[in-house]
Amino acid sequence: SKMKRVMIVDAFNQFIRGYIVDPSKNPNGQPIGGMRTFVNIMNKITREINPDMIVVVWDGKGGSKKRRSMNKNYKSGRKPLRVNWNSDEMTPQDTDNNKLWQQLRVIEYLNQTPMIQFMEPEVEADDVISYIKSSPMFEEWQKVIVSADKDFIQLLDDKTLLFRPIQKEVLSTKIVVDKFGIHPRNFALARAMAGDPSDNLAGVPRVGLGTVAKRFSFLKSDRDYFVSDILEESSQPENSKLKVFQNVVEHEKVIKENYEIMQLSSPQMSIQCKNRIDQTFNEYTPHYNQTEIRKLMIKDGVLTVNMQDLEQKFNDIITSHSDK
């Protein structure tokens, strides 16, 4: 029988794409590009992935708090968001307020559909996605994570793919090993050495993913390695005189700290949060209020969107659920 497929969307990662590039405004002059493009993206990826269930995950308020307590530099120092459309008439506060309004409206739209949404307080979307991906409920399902973020490479296995719409690529375990020379299960360890500029996490000096793959070639194996294995390899007599290995040993603390922040194998969330997610799936009954979502969109001026594939999928999901 055909394996069921769940599409798990890193929502803000997709929303912000549209917000930055789409100059659309409604008749009241309010920017609506984030909402408009998000719906179009969801329609496109639903057509391409053809899932049996759609899960949309947002970062919760204060989601970075736990990781920032480990490293105060985490996601700090980011430049103010720059949009690719004329926002001269808007103050920075106006821009922030509009972005938040658009995001909340998207959430309201999706609440009228069979999609399942999560936004857990003080929890990042990455942790929720990791927990869902590893849930026993989806053990026999294919999981397709939708995000441009490389953090999710570490979650790939024989039933999990990463779809990166911006890069127009689908990553599987084999593709990652061929492309990077590193197995997904060791990717968080490799990135802990290389660092992550997008999250303002410095790595080991002069060590990128290419260097990691070359100097620690065992990381391409289908087994888990740890910081202790990296340090042991770096301390071998034949390696200890090379600068790259010396740097690794000298930056042991940085590697350990980065790994703790980057790893998703143990999601940073409470038991209560996990229970809420489990309960949501256990009590899930799909619904689709087509009239209400259209009323909201007309009110917001979000008119030039394509929902044909989404609407068909919503109806399929409801029909499939009622047949059980």
Side-chain angles (χ1 to χ4, degrees):
S1 62
K2 175 179 169 287
M3 185 185 293
K4 285 193 171 184
R5 178 179 296 148
V6 57
M7 179 172 83
I8 311 172
V9 181
D10 181 8
F12 190 75
N13 188 268
Q14 301 307 304
F15 168 80
I16 205 66
R17 286 174 59 193
Y19 182 77
I20 289 171
V21 304
D22 190 334
S24 301
K25 294 184 179 181
N26 64 16
N28 297 326
Q30 292 174 299
I32 54 171
M35 299 185 289
R36 184 182 166 280
T37 301
F38 186 88
V39 174
N40 283 330
I41 288 172
M42 290 300 298
N43 188 74
K44 184 174 187 288
I45 62 177
T46 296
R47 179 176 66 250
E48 293 171 349
I49 295 173
N50 191 24
D52 298 281
M53 181 182 286
I54 303 172
V55 181
V56 175
V57 186
W58 301 89
D59 292 307
K61 185 177 180 181
S64 302
K65 188 176 175 182
K66 292 187 182 74
R67 287 180 170 88
R68 196 165 282 153
S69 70
M70 302 178 200
N71 184 331
K72 67 181 188 300
N73 296 318
Y74 178 67
K75 290 190 176 180
S76 68
R78 289 185 168 182
K79 295 178 181 176
L81 192 67
R82 289 179 62 104
V83 295
N84 296 353
W85 39 270
N86 184 4
S87 60
D88 293 345
E89 72 279 10
M90 299 174 70
T91 67
Q93 187 63 53
D94 289 339
T95 307
D96 283 347
N97 289 343
N98 174 264
K99 176 163 64 84
L100 180 60
W101 171 72
Q102 289 197 57
Q103 184 180 346
L104 292 175
R105 290 300 271 179
V106 166
I107 292 169
E108 287 185 61
Y109 295 169
L110 303 193
N111 279 340
Q112 306 303 322
T113 77
M115 296 188 206
I116 300 174
Q117 288 191 94
F118 292 104
M119 182 191 279
E120 291 294 327
E122 297 190 2
V123 179
E124 291 193 67
D126 298 30
D127 295 296
V128 177
I129 290 171
S130 173
Y131 181 73
I132 294 169
K133 175 260 170 183
S134 301
S135 168
M137 173 182 172
F138 296 112
E139 187 175 356
E140 297 304 320
W141 290 52
Q142 184 185 58
K143 282 76 69 173
V144 181
I145 299 169
V146 179
S147 179
D149 197 334
K150 284 183 182 175
D151 287 341
F152 295 112
I153 289 176
Q154 62 183 284
L155 299 181
L156 302 188
D157 55 36
D158 60 343
K159 292 193 184 80
T160 309
L161 303 171
L162 175 61
F163 178 42
R164 306 178 77 207
I166 298 173
Q167 294 77 8
K168 294 183 171 59
E169 68 175 356
V170 178
L171 296 181
S172 64
T173 297
K174 182 181 185 307
I175 290 171
V176 168
V177 173
D178 291 345
K179 182 174 182 176
F180 297 101
I182 301 163
H183 196 282
R185 64 197 303 171
N186 296 311
F187 216 79
L189 181 57
R191 295 190 79 212
M193 288 186 272
D196 184 357
S198 67
D199 284 340
N200 201 31
L201 294 175
V204 179
R206 301 177 70 179
V207 172
L209 289 178
T211 302
V212 171
K214 179 181 177 182
R215 298 297 184 181
F216 303 95
S217 57
F218 54 84
L219 292 181
K220 69 161 50 173
S221 306
D222 184 9
R223 56 162 287 193
D224 294 320
Y225 288 95
F226 305 96
V227 176
S228 57
D229 298 305
I230 297 298
L231 296 171
E232 183 180 339
E233 179 70 12
S234 301
S235 302
Q236 293 298 317
E238 65 272 22
N239 294 333
S240 58
K241 292 179 182 178
L242 291 175
K243 184 63 176 171
V244 61
F245 292 111
Q246 291 172 4
N247 283 347
V248 167
V249 172
E250 289 169 9
H251 289 79
E252 174 183 350
K253 184 172 181 288
V254 169
I255 298 170
K256 287 181 174 177
E257 188 177 79
N258 282 351
Y259 182 74
E260 186 61 26
I261 289 172
M262 293 175 174
Q263 66 80 28
L264 296 174
S265 54
S266 299
Q268 299 191 23
M269 51 205 294
S270 66
I271 291 293
Q272 291 84 355
C273 177
K274 294 175 180 178
N275 288 341
R276 281 197 300 272
I277 292 170
D278 291 342
Q279 186 176 4
T280 298
F281 284 118
N282 289 333
E283 297 177 356
Y284 172 61
T285 302
H287 72 283
Y288 179 31
N289 191 332
Q290 188 177 44
T291 303
E292 185 60 27
I293 191 173
R294 284 182 174 168
K295 277 170 56 180
L296 290 170
M297 289 175 139
I298 290 169
K299 183 178 179 181
D300 296 338
V302 183
L303 306 176
T304 54
V305 294
N306 183 357
M307 290 189 62
Q308 182 177 348
D309 297 286
L310 272 175
E311 289 173 349
Q312 180 61 54
K313 180 53 62 178
F314 294 159
N315 290 323
D316 289 347
I317 289 173
I318 289 171
T319 301
S320 174
H321 199 272
S322 62
D323 288 343
K324 288 181 181 178

